[in-house]
Coordinates of all heavy atoms in Angstrom, one line a residue:
G299 N 0.8 -1.2 0.0 CA 0.0 0.0 0.0 C 0.8 1.3 0.0 O 2.1 1.2 -0.2
M300 N 0.2 2.4 0.3 CA 0.8 3.7 0.3 C 1.3 4.0 1.7 O 0.6 3.7 2.7 CB -0.1 4.8 -0.2 CG -0.4 4.7 -1.7 SD 1.0 5.0 -2.7 CE 1.5 6.6 -2.2
A301 N 2.5 4.6 1.8 CA 3.0 5.1 3.1 C 3.5 6.5 2.9 O 3.8 6.9 1.7 CB 4.1 4.2 3.7
F302 N 3.6 7.3 3.9 CA 4.0 8.7 3.8 C 5.1 9.0 4.8 O 4.9 8.7 6.0 CB 2.8 9.6 4.0 CG 1.7 9.4 2.9 CD1 0.7 8.5 3.2 CD2 1.7 10.1 1.8 CE1 -0.3 8.3 2.2 CE2 0.7 9.9 0.8 CZ -0.3 9.0 1.0
M303 N 6.2 9.6 4.3 CA 7.3 10.0 5.2 C 7.4 11.5 5.2 O 7.0 12.2 4.3 CB 8.6 9.4 4.7 CG 8.7 7.9 4.6 SD 10.4 7.4 4.2 CE 10.7 8.3 2.7
H304 N 7.9 12.0 6.3 CA 8.2 13.4 6.4 C 9.7 13.6 6.5 O 10.4 12.9 7.2 CB 7.6 14.0 7.7 CG 7.9 15.5 7.9 ND1 8.9 15.9 8.7 CD2 7.4 16.6 7.3 CE1 9.0 17.2 8.6 NE2 8.1 17.7 7.8
V305 N 10.2 14.6 5.7 CA 11.6 14.9 5.7 C 11.8 16.4 6.1 O 10.9 17.2 5.9 CB 12.3 14.7 4.4 CG1 12.0 13.2 3.9 CG2 11.8 15.6 3.3
G306 N 13.0 16.8 6.6 CA 13.2 18.1 7.0 C 13.9 18.9 5.9 O 14.8 18.4 5.2
G307 N 13.4 20.1 5.7 CA 14.0 21.0 4.7 C 13.6 20.6 3.3 O 12.4 20.3 3.0
T308 N 14.5 20.5 2.4 CA 14.3 20.1 1.0 C 14.7 18.6 0.8 O 15.7 18.2 1.4 CB 15.0 21.0 0.0 OG1 14.6 22.4 0.2 CG2 14.8 20.6 -1.4
V309 N 14.0 17.9 0.0 CA 14.3 16.5 -0.2 C 15.0 16.3 -1.6 O 14.7 17.0 -2.6 CB 13.0 15.6 -0.2 CG1 12.1 16.0 -1.3 CG2 13.4 14.1 -0.4
A310 N 16.0 15.4 -1.6 CA 16.7 15.1 -2.8 C 16.5 13.6 -3.0 O 16.8 12.8 -2.1 CB 18.2 15.4 -2.7
K311 N 16.0 13.2 -4.2 CA 15.8 11.8 -4.6 C 16.9 11.4 -5.5 O 17.1 12.0 -6.6 CB 14.5 11.6 -5.2 CG 14.2 10.2 -5.6 CD 12.8 10.1 -6.3 CE 12.5 8.6 -6.7 NZ 11.2 8.5 -7.4
K312 N 17.7 10.4 -5.2 CA 18.8 9.9 -6.0 C 18.5 8.4 -6.4 O 18.1 7.6 -5.6 CB 20.1 9.9 -5.2 CG 20.5 11.3 -4.7 CD 20.9 12.2 -5.9 CE 21.5 13.5 -5.4 NZ 21.9 14.4 -6.5
E313 N 18.7 8.2 -7.7 CA 18.6 6.9 -8.3 C 20.0 6.4 -8.6 O 20.7 6.8 -9.5 CB 17.8 6.9 -9.6 CG 16.3 7.4 -9.4 CD 15.4 6.4 -8.7 OE1 15.9 5.2 -8.5 OE2 14.3 6.7 -8.4
L314 N 20.5 5.5 -7.7 CA 21.8 5.0 -7.8 C 21.9 3.8 -8.7 O 21.0 2.9 -8.7 CB 22.4 4.6 -6.4 CG 22.4 5.7 -5.4 CD1 23.0 5.1 -4.0 CD2 23.2 6.9 -5.8
Q315 N 22.9 3.8 -9.6 CA 23.1 2.6 -10.5 C 23.9 1.6 -9.7 O 24.4 1.8 -8.6 CB 23.9 3.1 -11.7 CG 23.2 4.2 -12.5 CD 21.8 3.8 -13.0 OE1 21.6 2.7 -13.5 NE2 20.9 4.6 -12.8
A316 N 24.0 0.4 -10.3 CA 24.7 -0.7 -9.6 C 26.2 -0.3 -9.4 O 26.8 0.1 -10.3 CB 24.6 -2.0 -10.5
G317 N 26.6 -0.4 -8.1 CA 28.0 -0.1 -7.8 C 28.2 1.4 -7.5 O 29.3 1.7 -7.0
E318 N 27.3 2.3 -7.9 CA 27.4 3.7 -7.6 C 27.3 4.0 -6.2 O 26.4 3.5 -5.5 CB 26.4 4.5 -8.4 CG 26.5 6.0 -8.3 CD 25.4 6.7 -9.0 OE1 24.6 6.1 -9.7 OE2 25.5 8.0 -9.0
I319 N 28.2 4.8 -5.6 CA 28.3 5.2 -4.2 C 28.0 6.6 -4.0 O 28.6 7.5 -4.7 CB 29.7 4.8 -3.6 CG1 29.9 3.3 -3.7 CG2 29.8 5.3 -2.2 CD1 31.3 2.8 -3.2
L320 N 27.2 6.9 -3.0 CA 26.9 8.3 -2.6 C 27.3 8.4 -1.1 O 26.9 7.6 -0.3 CB 25.4 8.5 -2.8 CG 24.9 9.9 -2.4 CD1 25.4 11.0 -3.4 CD2 23.3 10.0 -2.4
K321 N 28.1 9.5 -0.8 CA 28.5 9.7 0.6 C 27.6 10.8 1.1 O 27.4 11.9 0.5 CB 29.9 10.1 0.6 CG 30.9 9.0 0.2 CD 32.3 9.5 0.3 CE 33.3 8.3 -0.1 NZ 34.7 8.7 0.0
V322 N 27.0 10.6 2.3 CA 26.0 11.5 2.9 C 26.3 11.7 4.4 O 26.8 10.7 5.1 CB 24.6 10.8 2.7 CG1 23.5 11.8 3.2 CG2 24.4 10.4 1.3
D323 N 26.0 12.8 4.9 CA 26.0 13.0 6.3 C 25.0 12.1 7.0 O 23.9 11.9 6.4 CB 25.6 14.5 6.7 CG 25.6 14.8 8.2 OD1 24.5 14.5 8.8 OD2 26.6 15.2 8.7

């Protein structure tokens, strides 16, 4: 079903490819 999340500030959606690495706080 549908679920809803809340995020602080502005949201960034990233689609990572296989093996791609993103470093995040």
Side-chain angles (χ1 to χ4, degrees):
M300 292 295 303
F302 299 87
M303 300 187 305
H304 176 262
V305 305
T308 301
V309 61
K311 180 182 178 181
K312 299 291 186 180
E313 298 288 350
L314 301 181
Q315 302 302 313
E318 182 180 0
I319 295 177
L320 182 68
K321 296 183 180 181
V322 185
D323 180 274

